[in-house]
Amino acid sequence: MALLRPPALLLALVVSELHCLPWFINVSESQGPGTVIHSFSFNCTAHMPVLELVHVQPPTTFFNQPSLSRWQKIYVGMVTLSSSARLDALAVSHYELQLRFTCGNHVMEVPLYVDVYRDPGYSPCAGRFASPAGEIIQVRETVTPGAQLYTLLLPGLELQRAQISINSAQDPPYFPGPFSINGQGWLLAPSQGLKGQAKKVFQLQILVTFGQNRSCHGMLKVKVLRVPSSQISFLGQAPNITILDDLAPGSKVVQVRARGFDVRYEILSPVPCPLFSIGREDGVVRTTAPLELAQARGAAVTRLQVKAYERLRPWASVDLDLTVNVHSVNRWPPRCLPAMLVTEIPETTPVGTVLNTFTCTDPDSPGSTLDYELRIHSPPGPASLCLRGRALEVNATLDCDTPGACFQHAASILVLDGGQPLMTTEVPVLVMVTPVNEFSPACVPHTFRIREDAGPHTLLGSVVGTDKDYPHNGIEYDISGGPTAFSVDHLSGEVHLLGSLDYELQKLYRLTVLVTDQSQDQDPTHRRSGSCTITIEVEDVNDHAPECQPPFQELTIYAPLGRSVEVTKVSCWVPQEPQRLVFSYSIVGGNSQSRFSLQGPILVHNNMLGPPWPEQPHTHELLIRVADAGPSPPHLSTTATVIVHLVPWSTSTVATRTRKAAVPSMMTPLLVTDTEAFWQPEPWFVVVLTVTSALFLLALGWLFSRLFQGLAQMLQTRRKPAQALLLNSIQGTEESIEGFMEAPRMEMPQTPSSVMSLLFDGRAQDSRTGRDYLFNTLTGARRWL
């Protein structure tokens, strides 16, 4: 063994300081358990040093914790292979060991790299298994039938397609049944068990075939032990242990204790055990590799079978089954998509509508079940949202038609994992409810009354519109068609008079008022409207005075003594209001002797008042006031004039155009009046008309004289060009050519004889050339055009 190497060899490997690390070591795959793969020395004078193996990559139990010994004031550390070491260069050819050296407060971690190389002459049948004596294993006679007794297939042999078989005889009655080897290289107990086979030793010849026609033989002896009368037993121990996956290799998991003398402990199953080991003397179960579940899924649950036995009596043993549950350490909270939810929904969203489905995962434990909780922050009161599983749904009817009801719903989704410690993630949720224009506005029909004499801008009243959508007063008013005498305020609904009214022309108005909502929907173009009819009644106001026909009367009557005579009847009416028929009549002037009275519209002369009676004709100019007698003020009036020529009965005078018939004294006189209409202009009008007529005649005469003068001048002008043309035609061709050659000289005479010589009062056309020219009839000068 390497532990028994002479000190000279160890001195050759001594390294005085650790600063020369890291080390690179080459190891043959033929090295077995207990082999020292590396040793080194260091100084630590003032403290007790500590040397430990922190971790191995890839994880394995092939390496023991480094041993530490002191030799001549120098500490020597050694790294050896464990009892489960089975090196195979084809399986793993490189290992990285992290060593930690502690000397007081000084801590240093250095790597040790181990490279495994192939050994062509290496045979797996080595050690005691290949020796003539063979490998001896001890089992109790109470072992379970078919139980695993020994591991024959070492790591790496499966890559070489090794085949293991028992080629020795297992004949009864010595063998209770045949031992067997399964595909994993485990030696299994006979199916009949080993009960009653105590103190027997079963010798098995094993043939291992591997590689290309390569094989080896080994010997395995199974010694059956009797179960002692005084059995060893475990103290009270929980069968299930739970640990976290952040434990470092070498950490304590649990300590088992058994009652007995000089008890030792070992792990029976699984063999090899890559994750856990047990102290042979103290029974402390420790981790031997990292337990991170993210990298080693098989480490979640490990079932250990621990054996406790007495050192001097190995057959006196007892087994304990332990289940080690490894839980992942909660390092990360759940992650959710979406990480934040902000959404808008209309108020008409039906109950049960799914707003979003959250997808959350736990980075520490993918696929694990998470818990979801909904927390409502605002508004207070019954929740409008609910959470069903991972889906956020509408829980209640959303209504924006009451004040303060349409708002933002703030909540959060709390996601919890089941790890230790408990980690949570909160997903903010903001749901904004938008209004929807669901209802059309409406208004109530109403009747307004207004006097016909009301002025412009008079307020009649207000149209009140209502809307079930919030805000309820967000309404615009307008008049659809109809007359233009009225207007409605777009915002307040107040109805105003724009023009004037006339009861006689129109007594009743009907207006259709449109009410249109605004700002009731998220979409400003989505508007609703309604209408109602308002009635406007015009109240009659007395604004036209009566008119009498005729407004002036002149009458001649005969007044007999002691009698009353009907003079005339005043006929009055209001043309604009023919329905007015009631008037009041009164004499307001000319009735100095009170000889006249009115009986309604009839003027009566009373000659019964007694003397003195008029003996001569007398004229009375009466003013009669006619006023309307309607129920509403004001009462307007007019005045009619009646001139009465009163002739006593005894007088024989006859008025012009008045015919009088002889009437017996006992009969009522009959008065016939013939009124002739004529026009008598004012004197000033006659003067103005005469002067205007004279001025008109003078202007007309001057106009005709100017017209005749212009006509005479026109006739004279036409006669002179004709004579010039005749003279030019009599002249010959030579004169025409000569005139044509001398034209430039004649166009610009140097010394004109008179002003007339500069004027061209005629126009003609040359018969030879056909060219037009102008000429002067006095001088004969020409100008060609």
Side-chain angles (χ1 to χ4, degrees), residues 11-335:
L11 288 176
L13 299 175
V14 168
V15 178
S16 60
E17 299 293 342
L18 289 176
H19 64 263
C20 61
L21 296 177
W23 296 299
F24 295 88
I25 305 299
N26 295 323
V27 180
S28 172
E29 65 178 351
S30 62
Q31 299 297 327
T35 302
V36 177
I37 63 174
H38 189 63
S39 62
F40 51 90
S41 63
F42 53 87
N43 295 327
C44 184
T45 57
H47 301 86
M48 178 63 69
V50 177
L51 183 63
E52 55 186 338
L53 177 62
V54 178
H55 65 80
V56 180
Q57 188 67 28
T60 182
T61 59
F62 291 175
F63 304 94
N64 291 321
Q65 285 290 329
S67 62
L68 188 62
S69 62
R70 186 172 183 178
W71 183 74
Q72 295 182 359
K73 298 182 181 182
I74 296 178
Y75 290 95
V76 178
M78 289 186 294
V79 179
T80 60
L81 296 178
S82 66
S83 59
S84 61
R86 300 293 188 271
L87 300 179
D88 186 359
L90 295 178
V92 179
S93 61
H94 179 78
Y95 294 92
E96 181 181 346
L97 286 67
Q98 191 72 18
L99 302 177
R100 180 183 295 161
F101 166 71
T102 304
C103 181
N105 295 330
H106 178 71
V107 179
M108 177 185 296
E109 290 190 4
V110 291
L112 173 62
Y113 300 102
V114 179
D115 292 326
V116 181
Y117 60 87
R118 290 280 295 164
D119 186 358
Y122 169 67
S123 172
C125 301
R128 289 179 296 178
F129 174 72
S131 64
E135 182 78 23
I136 299 177
I137 61 174
Q138 297 178 349
V139 297
R140 293 180 300 170
E141 61 178 344
T142 57
V143 68
T144 304
Q148 176 185 346
L149 303 180
Y150 187 75
T151 301
L152 294 168
L153 184 57
L154 303 179
L157 290 181
E158 62 272 14
L159 299 177
Q160 304 179 30
R161 299 180 181 179
Q163 297 180 359
I164 305 176
S165 60
I166 302 175
N167 57 359
S168 60
Q170 303 183 58
D171 299 332
Y174 188 79
F175 282 85
F179 292 85
S180 61
I181 300 176
N182 62 9
Q184 297 177 345
W186 294 352
L187 178 66
L188 305 179
S191 59
Q192 294 81 3
L194 299 176
K195 193 68 174 178
Q197 305 297 324
K199 297 184 178 180
K200 282 187 177 182
V201 177
F202 300 98
Q203 185 172 333
L204 303 174
Q205 292 287 340
I206 307 299
L207 174 63
V208 180
T209 303
F210 59 92
Q212 296 180 354
N213 299 324
R214 296 177 59 190
S215 63
C216 64
H217 294 272
M219 177 70 70
L220 186 62
K221 296 180 179 179
V222 181
K223 184 178 181 180
V224 181
L225 303 178
R226 183 185 300 275
V227 178
S229 58
S230 57
Q231 292 187 358
I232 188 174
S233 61
F234 280 99
L235 302 178
Q237 175 63 47
N240 295 315
I241 300 124
T242 301
I243 60 175
L244 300 178
D245 66 348
D246 62 344
L247 292 179
S251 299
K252 178 180 178 180
V253 176
V254 70
Q255 184 177 15
V256 295
R257 294 185 180 276
R259 183 183 299 107
F261 178 75
D262 198 7
V263 179
R264 297 290 186 267
Y265 304 91
E266 66 178 10
I267 295 177
L268 295 181
S269 176
V271 177
C273 185
L275 300 177
F276 303 97
S277 64
I278 190 170
R280 295 178 62 86
E281 297 180 0
D282 56 7
V284 175
V285 179
R286 300 180 182 274
T287 60
T288 58
L291 302 178
E292 293 185 6
L293 296 180
Q295 300 179 1
R297 285 294 174 187
V301 178
T302 302
R303 293 176 176 82
L304 300 177
Q305 186 178 19
V306 179
K307 173 184 176 182
Y309 63 93
E310 294 182 356
R311 184 177 64 86
L312 300 178
R313 296 188 305 168
W315 58 88
S317 62
V318 64
D319 297 339
L320 175 66
D321 293 329
L322 292 177
T323 301
V324 181
N325 300 298
V326 180
H327 289 178
S328 62
V329 176
N330 237 3
R331 297 180 178 87
W332 307 99
R335 297 176 182 174

Side-chain angles (χ1 to χ4, degrees), residues 337-415:
L337 288 177
M340 179 177 64
L341 177 62
V342 178
T343 184
E344 287 186 356
I345 58 174
E347 62 172 324
T348 55
T349 302
V351 177
T353 300
V354 177
L355 302 182
N356 198 285
T357 300
F358 295 90
T359 302
C360 301
T361 58
D362 187 0
D364 297 313
S365 181
S368 61
T369 302
L370 303 176
D371 296 327
Y372 298 81
E373 294 181 5
L374 175 63
R375 295 185 176 182
I376 302 296
H377 301 309
S378 65
S384 299
L385 306 175
C386 67
L387 191 66
R388 301 185 187 278
R390 298 182 294 111
L392 182 64
E393 300 180 357
V394 177
N395 187 45
T397 301
L398 304 174
D399 189 8
C400 293
D401 300 329
T402 56
C406 196
F407 34 57
Q408 298 176 348
H409 295 267
S412 61
I413 307 296
L414 188 66
V415 185

